[in-house]
Amino acid sequence: MSIPLAEQLRPRTLDEYIGQEQLVGAKGILRRALESGKIPSMILWGPPGVGKTTLANIIAEQLSLSFYTLSAVSSGVKDVRKVIDSAASYGGNSILFIDEIHRFSKSQQDSLLHAVEKGTITLIGATTENPSFEVISPLLSRCQVYILKSLSKEHLIKLIENGTKHLSQQYNTEIEISETEALMQISGGDARKLYNALELFVEQHKDKTNKIIIDNESVQKTISDNMVRYDKKGEMHYDIISAFIKSLRGSDPNAAVYWLARMIEAGEDPKFIARRMLILASEDIGNANPNALLLANTCFDAVQKIGWPESRIILSQTAVYLATSPKSNASYMAINNAQDLVRKTGDLSVPLHLRNAPTSLMKEIGYGKSYQYPHDYEGNFVNADYLPDEIKGKTLFEPGKNPREEEIRKQLKTKWKNKYRY
């Protein structure tokens, strides 16, 4: 069996490594740590195919440390203890790399604590999930968290050039890069997927012509005809969750439960699915149906207690509810608009009447003066100014066109008249 292109071209040094300049560039924090000869235990958090495993290998190689690797999918507490016992004989000169550490249970993560604290091993965990949710606090406090970013267009083009050059030599054939957009789109910023797609394309065309031309149309046709070959062993993970979320957003319960079933059959973590629905309930439904957020949160709590296979029922109920619920992204857009305004206008002063006045001096200079307490007025409302003077009357929240938020719009118009133009 031939070695995959992604493995053949896996970088062996930081100088060969593409991307993550903020960590491994000339002034990168990880490069400086490596140059000092000592690194902390760490969690590498980022999307698939951006170099987490490669970086762990480079660190071990550069520091000449013993390197153990475990997959959280197939390893248990017994495997962890076996590695720790073996590493103890090296006197703290060992790295334990755990791929998909977010899949480790609490007891499995607990088994790492003592060895990490005592320095028996230096832990490098890789995860695509937010470690604040998936890594227990005692272990997280003993590790540095480094965020790896998706590869940029420039990074992907460099990878395409490297892969094309290697394949041209390997197959002794001329390869011309005419267009790169299709390859980059297929990759989704994942170097492994990019190399798999490139390798598949060249293999499919190497015996058909003296010169292989890589263009968008040919790449799309070749990859779509051979999707199963290059996108195997879970690499469609993010495509499936994307289809699931878009089906919920699009109010299609049939498509939603189909993609849910695909994830269930693939053994996806139920918490991963529930967390995505929890986000969607606020982002895409919001105040059009506030109960959606409550149900999604209950679903997230329930699947943590129950696990497979029963969680599939709870996930299905929630997915159908969210898909058939009225939709609104008004709250999501409101916070986006507000953050954008803050970035443009900077730190505007809080109006004096809104400031807290805990000392007599603050009261003397006007803090809290002229503040009108709404509960002293009819209807518990007073038409006052709550924004800085520079952006007075700025509308950031625009209610959606659904029954509940249309009612909210009427209430706001009644209260604020023409101030916010509702």
Side-chain angles (χ1 to χ4, degrees):
M1 182 182 293
S2 61
I3 300 173
L5 179 65
E7 188 59 38
Q8 293 182 56
L9 296 182
R10 187 184 292 277
R12 303 290 187 257
T13 67
L14 287 184
D15 292 333
E16 295 175 1
Y17 192 88
I18 295 175
Q20 316 312 326
E21 289 83 2
Q22 77 283 5
L23 296 179
V24 300
K27 297 181 179 179
I29 187 170
L30 263 180
R31 182 182 284 269
R32 294 203 307 270
L34 275 171
E35 290 172 349
S36 74
K38 187 172 179 60
I39 60 162
S41 287
M42 67 184 76
I43 304 294
L44 302 177
W45 172 27
V50 296
K52 298 185 289 293
T53 303
T54 297
L55 191 52
N57 277 284
I58 290 174
I59 290 171
E61 180 69 25
Q62 186 161 328
L63 296 181
S64 300
L65 300 178
S66 300
F67 189 69
Y68 299 90
T69 180
L70 294 175
S71 170
V73 175
S74 56
S75 304
V77 172
K78 187 179 295 185
D79 300 294
V80 172
R81 287 174 178 162
K82 184 177 179 181
V83 167
I84 291 172
D85 289 342
S86 176
S89 61
Y90 290 97
N93 293 314
S94 300
I95 287 177
L96 170 58
F97 175 70
I98 300 180
D99 195 19
E100 298 188 87
I101 194 170
H102 58 273
R103 291 180 180 267
F104 255 10
S105 67
K106 181 180 183 299
S107 61
Q108 289 170 314
Q109 293 185 37
D110 278 336
S111 66
L112 295 163
L113 283 175
H114 184 72
V116 171
E117 187 170 24
K118 296 298 182 183
T120 305
I121 57 168
T122 298
L123 173 67
I124 301 181
T127 179
T128 56
E129 299 298 309
N130 188 331
S132 299
F133 295 122
E134 301 295 347
V135 179
I136 60 173
S137 297
L139 184 58
L140 196 60
S141 68
R142 290 163 173 78
C143 299
Q144 293 293 319
V145 177
Y146 297 120
I147 301 173
L148 280 72
K149 302 176 181 178
S150 294
L151 299 178
S152 68
K153 179 180 178 180
E154 290 71 24
H155 296 143
L156 295 173
I157 288 175
K158 180 64 175 176
L159 291 171
I160 292 172
E161 291 172 347
N162 290 350
T164 302
K165 180 179 179 181
H166 184 87
L167 290 169
S168 180
Q169 295 172 346
Q170 181 175 321
Y171 294 118
N172 193 28
T173 186
E174 184 179 356
I175 304 174
E176 178 184 317
I177 305 172
S178 173
E179 297 171 309
T180 59
E181 288 81 6
L183 278 173
M184 289 193 286
Q185 183 179 14
I186 288 166
S187 77
D190 183 327
R192 189 187 311 107
K193 287 181 73 171
L194 177 66
Y195 278 145
N196 287 344
L198 180 60
E199 184 175 28
L200 173 60
F201 181 84
V202 172
E203 284 183 351
Q204 292 289 302
H205 292 82
K206 62 183 174 63
D207 297 324
K208 299 177 182 178
T209 178
N210 294 326
K211 182 180 181 180
I212 299 174
I213 298 178
I214 298 175
D215 61 73
N216 294 337
E217 184 178 353
S218 300
V219 168
Q220 288 284 11
K221 185 178 187 308
T222 301
I223 300 307
S224 62
D225 288 346
N226 297 271
M227 183 65 75
V228 176
R229 282 194 56 194
Y230 94 91
D231 210 355
K232 54 191 175 182
K233 292 189 178 178
E235 290 184 17
M236 289 183 73
H237 168 85
Y238 283 90
D239 293 336
I240 299 282
I241 192 64
S242 175
F244 175 63
I245 292 300
K246 287 173 181 173
S247 299
L248 294 175
R249 183 181 294 134
S251 300
D252 188 339
N254 300 293
V257 294
Y258 168 77
W259 295 117
L260 175 60
R262 286 281 297 271
M263 290 186 285
I264 291 170
E265 290 299 309
E268 183 58 83
D269 184 351
K271 291 185 294 181
F272 172 79
I273 303 171
R275 185 178 300 113
R276 292 305 186 272
M277 288 199 289
L278 186 53
I279 296 168
L280 176 132
S282 186
E283 178 180 343
D284 294 295
I285 296 174
N287 289 321
N289 178 13
N291 286 331
L293 182 59
L294 300 178
L295 183 64
N297 190 54
T298 300
C299 172
F300 182 76
D301 289 340
V303 299
Q304 292 190 88
K305 299 171 184 173
I306 294 174
W308 292 133
E310 291 83 359
S311 281
R312 68 191 179 93
I313 307 168
I314 301 165
L315 291 169
S316 179
Q317 177 190 350
T318 306
V320 170
Y321 184 87
L322 298 181
T324 56
S325 180
K327 303 297 189 295
S328 171
N329 70 343
S331 297
Y332 171 68
M333 294 304 297
I335 190 61
N336 285 349
N337 293 337
Q339 287 183 273
D340 185 55
L341 182 62
V342 168
R343 295 185 191 105
K344 290 177 180 176
T345 58
D347 297 329
L348 300 178
S349 297
V350 177
L352 283 176
H353 70 281
L354 297 181
R355 297 188 191 186
N356 187 32
T359 69
S360 57
L361 174 61
M362 288 179 174
K363 289 178 181 177
E364 288 174 12
I365 62 176
Y367 278 35
K369 185 179 181 180
S370 302
Y371 171 64
Q372 295 169 289
Y373 187 55
H375 297 292
D376 288 342
Y377 295 81
E378 183 179 351
N380 307 107
F381 173 79
V382 59
N383 193 329
D385 291 319
Y386 296 97
L387 284 170
D389 290 340
E390 296 89 338
I391 55 173
K392 190 182 298 183
K394 179 72 174 177
T395 304
L396 298 172
F397 169 64
E398 188 66 40
K401 296 187 181 302
N402 57 77
R404 185 176 182 88
E405 287 187 307
E406 288 290 2
E407 185 60 34
I408 292 174
R409 181 187 295 277
K410 290 179 184 177
Q411 293 174 17
L412 290 171
K413 186 174 180 61
T414 299
K415 284 183 168 71
W416 295 106
K417 309 303 180 190
N418 294 323
K419 184 172 186 175
Y420 292 108
R421 297 175 296 283
Y422 284 119

